[in-house]
């Protein structure tokens, strides 16, 4: 059978399938679209999750103790003498303590230092750790509460009755949270938890240097943590297998719908055989009919995912640096999976049907 004739027959089959079984045809496309969108969404999420774990290149030191004013002054002196080269970030907070903003909404206030916050900042800057004035970084959701006729960086917000100047806006934070300068936080807020992350794995000697000073401030309440590997994080695998299970169930439903539609057409494939179609020609038509039917939904789902990504912008839980390569890899993976499903269904049908024997 000539190539152009085969293409015409594949298109003709799809058109006839749409006319005869419009609801089921559209249902397959819609289901594939939704599963493709979900696949892209969770691929984005998991890629960023893995990237976040991979970026934790160094050890983490956690101090869990209710610090007195004297201890906080000593810790600030330690930071003043500290060479910040190996420090990736420092976060100070009072766990479980709530504050209220100007709208009497409960929020968490943290004092933070980050070496590189550019990927998270949408406008403005992160305060220097040693700033001692009432400035604050908020997330984009908080900007909704601000006055619309003023620039965000010119506005103020009240926390516990104190006025703060907005210095920056970042992408969505994991909780209802605002960030103030590290030194300002230690001087003005209760602190019972400090987390220091280093940009490398420290030697035992380097750990001892930090412990020697910090033990004098907080005693032995120091907990060292090494950066976890992806396969060591139970939360990652729990989420991963849940998502895989959902996508597998959707995929099985799509395959069953397509199988039903294909087997309804078995008489037509006999007609192709009578008209001179060979075994390879007919199985090829079946394969491409199945594959293109699913691929319509895949392309549509990919377009929806890309458009929604552009509309949403950059969020903390989304991959940023390699999103084009990531989406391309996801699309190729889905297409390969659909080709395997189409081949499997085509083989199954070829075994169950005697489409090449014609009775006179």
């Amino acid at each position: 059978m000539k190539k152009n004739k085969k293409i015409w027959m594949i298109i003709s089959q799809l058109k006839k399938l749409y006319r005869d079984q419009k609801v089921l045809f559209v249902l397959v496309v819609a289901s594939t679209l939704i599963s493709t969108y979900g696949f892209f969404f969770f691929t984005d999420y998991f890629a960023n999750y893995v990237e976040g774990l991979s970026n934790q290149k160094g050890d983490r030191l956690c101090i869990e103790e209710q610090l007195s004013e004297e201890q906080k002054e000593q810790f600030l002196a330690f930071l003043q003498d500290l060479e910040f080269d190996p420090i990736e970030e420092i976060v100070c907070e009072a766990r479980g303590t709530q504050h209220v903003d100007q709208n009497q909404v409960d929020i968490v206030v943290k004092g933070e230092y980050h070496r590189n916050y550019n990927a998270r900042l949408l406008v403005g800057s992160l305060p220097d750790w040693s700033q001692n004035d009432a400035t604050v970084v908020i997330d984009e959701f908080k900007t909704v509460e601000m006055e619309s006729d003023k620039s965000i960086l010119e506005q103020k917000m009240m926390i516990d009755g104190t006025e703060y100047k907005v210095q920056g806006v970042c992408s969505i934070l994991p909780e209802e949270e605002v960030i103030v300068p590290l030194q300002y936080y230690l001087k003005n807020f209760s602190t019972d938890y400090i987390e220091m992350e280093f940009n490398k794995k420290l030697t035992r000697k380097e750990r001892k240097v930090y412990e020697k000073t910090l033990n004098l401030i907080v005693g032995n309440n120091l907990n060292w943590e090494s950066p976890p590997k992806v396969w060591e994080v139970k939360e990652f695998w729990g989420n991963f297998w849940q998502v895989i299970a959902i996508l597998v169930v959707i995929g099985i439903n799509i395959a069953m719908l397509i199988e039903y539609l294909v087997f309804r057409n078995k008489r037509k494939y006999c007609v192709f055989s009578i008209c001179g179609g060979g075994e390879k020609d007919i199985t090829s038509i079946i394969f491409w009919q199945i594959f293109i039917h699913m691929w319509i939904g895949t392309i549509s789902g990919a377009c929806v995912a890309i458009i929604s990504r552009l509309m949403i912008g950059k969020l903390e839980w989304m991959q940023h640096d390699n999103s084009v390569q990531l989406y391309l890899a996801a699309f190729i993976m889905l297409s390969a999976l659909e080709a395997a499903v189409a081949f499997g269904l085509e083989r199954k049908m070829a075994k169950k049907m005697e489409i090449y024997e014609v009775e006179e």
Side-chain angles (χ1 to χ4, degrees):
M1 187 181 294
K2 291 183 180 180
K3 191 174 182 179
N4 58 344
K5 186 176 181 181
K6 192 184 296 184
I7 294 171
W8 179 86
M9 292 183 73
I10 293 168
I11 296 172
S12 176
Q13 279 291 103
L14 287 169
K15 285 181 178 179
K16 187 166 181 56
L17 185 64
Y18 175 74
R19 288 195 302 268
D20 296 344
Q21 299 289 334
K22 186 176 294 185
V23 174
L24 291 179
F25 186 95
V26 173
L27 185 59
V28 169
V29 173
S31 299
T32 311
L33 185 155
I34 293 168
S35 60
T36 299
Y37 179 82
F39 186 80
F40 273 58
F41 179 90
F42 286 110
T43 298
D44 222 338
Y45 171 77
F46 283 123
N48 186 64
Y49 190 96
V50 172
E51 183 184 53
L53 289 176
S54 302
N55 287 340
Q56 296 178 16
K57 299 176 183 177
D59 294 332
R60 181 176 293 170
L61 174 61
C62 303
I63 302 172
E64 297 186 60
E65 180 178 332
Q66 183 68 50
L67 300 184
S68 65
E69 294 303 317
E70 182 181 359
Q71 286 174 312
K72 288 193 282 186
E73 288 293 337
Q74 291 172 338
F75 185 73
L76 281 171
F78 163 75
L79 293 180
Q80 191 72 48
D81 297 334
L82 180 67
E83 293 183 4
F84 271 73
D85 287 343
I87 302 297
E88 193 66 29
E89 65 179 36
I90 302 175
V91 178
C92 296
E93 60 180 298
R95 292 193 159 181
T97 303
Q98 296 286 336
H99 304 269
V100 293
D101 64 11
Q102 60 234 26
N103 297 316
Q104 298 300 303
V105 175
D106 288 338
I107 57 173
V108 175
V109 180
K110 295 183 181 181
E112 301 186 18
Y113 160 82
H114 298 271
R115 177 181 295 276
N116 185 2
Y117 213 69
N118 293 334
R120 297 271 306 274
L121 281 172
L122 304 176
V123 66
S125 61
L126 189 73
D128 186 78
W129 80 270
S130 59
Q131 279 184 231
N132 199 29
D133 49 346
T135 60
V136 66
V137 172
I138 60 176
D139 71 12
E140 52 190 314
F141 282 168
K142 274 286 178 188
T143 60
V144 178
E145 303 169 8
M146 300 297 174
E147 298 177 33
S148 58
D149 59 341
K150 289 184 180 179
S151 167
I152 291 294
L153 300 183
E154 295 176 353
Q155 298 194 45
K156 315 281 186 181
M157 74 174 295
M158 301 291 290
I159 302 175
D160 293 342
T162 301
E163 188 178 71
Y164 289 77
K165 178 185 176 183
V166 176
Q167 183 168 330
V169 178
C170 64
S171 56
I172 299 172
L173 293 166
E175 54 186 328
E176 193 72 31
E177 171 192 335
V178 296
I179 299 170
V180 300
L182 196 61
Q183 179 165 280
Y184 180 87
Y185 182 89
L186 288 168
K187 286 182 175 291
N188 295 275
F189 291 89
S190 174
T191 306
D192 61 19
Y193 181 81
I194 298 175
E195 184 176 283
M196 300 174 62
E197 186 176 321
F198 298 83
N199 58 15
K200 64 177 183 176
K201 187 170 180 60
L202 302 177
T203 64
R204 182 174 297 181
K205 184 178 180 181
E206 287 172 326
R207 283 191 178 191
K208 290 291 183 184
V209 171
Y210 291 107
E211 289 175 356
K212 184 178 180 181
T213 304
L214 291 172
N215 282 337
L216 296 174
I217 301 172
V218 296
N220 294 319
N221 296 318
L222 305 177
N223 298 307
W224 289 96
E225 298 176 2
S226 296
K229 306 295 184 184
V230 175
W231 55 85
E232 296 174 344
V233 181
K234 292 182 180 179
E235 180 188 4
F236 170 79
W237 287 113
N239 293 335
F240 179 81
W241 290 118
Q242 286 179 32
V243 171
I244 290 297
I246 293 170
L247 293 177
V248 166
V249 170
I250 295 173
I252 291 172
N253 289 332
I254 294 170
M256 290 178 67
L257 281 172
I258 291 178
E259 183 178 5
Y260 171 76
L261 289 173
V262 170
F263 272 87
R264 281 183 61 88
N265 286 339
K266 61 182 179 180
R267 289 181 177 273
K268 296 170 186 174
Y269 301 130
C270 291
V271 174
F272 295 161
S273 181
I274 294 170
C275 294
E279 180 179 350
K280 289 185 178 179
D281 295 326
I282 297 174
T283 54
S284 175
I285 291 169
I286 295 171
F287 171 85
W288 285 108
Q289 177 187 330
I290 296 169
F291 179 75
I292 293 172
H293 193 177
M294 289 189 290
W295 213 45
I296 294 170
T298 301
I299 293 174
S300 303
C303 291
V304 172
I306 292 169
I307 291 170
S308 65
R309 171 65 188 268
L310 294 173
M311 292 175 65
I312 292 172
K314 60 179 183 179
L315 299 177
E316 181 188 359
W317 45 263
M318 297 179 76
Q319 175 73 249
H320 302 301
D321 297 332
N322 303 305
S323 56
V324 175
Q325 297 92 319
L326 183 70
Y327 277 26
L328 181 61
F331 183 79
I332 293 172
M333 190 182 304
L334 272 177
S335 298
L337 182 61
E338 288 167 356
V341 171
F343 179 77
L345 290 176
E346 173 262 304
R347 288 290 85 199
K348 184 176 180 180
M349 185 166 183
K351 288 179 181 179
K352 288 187 176 183
M353 294 177 57
E354 296 180 357
I355 60 176
Y356 310 109
E357 295 183 10
V358 183
E359 293 183 4
E360 297 183 2

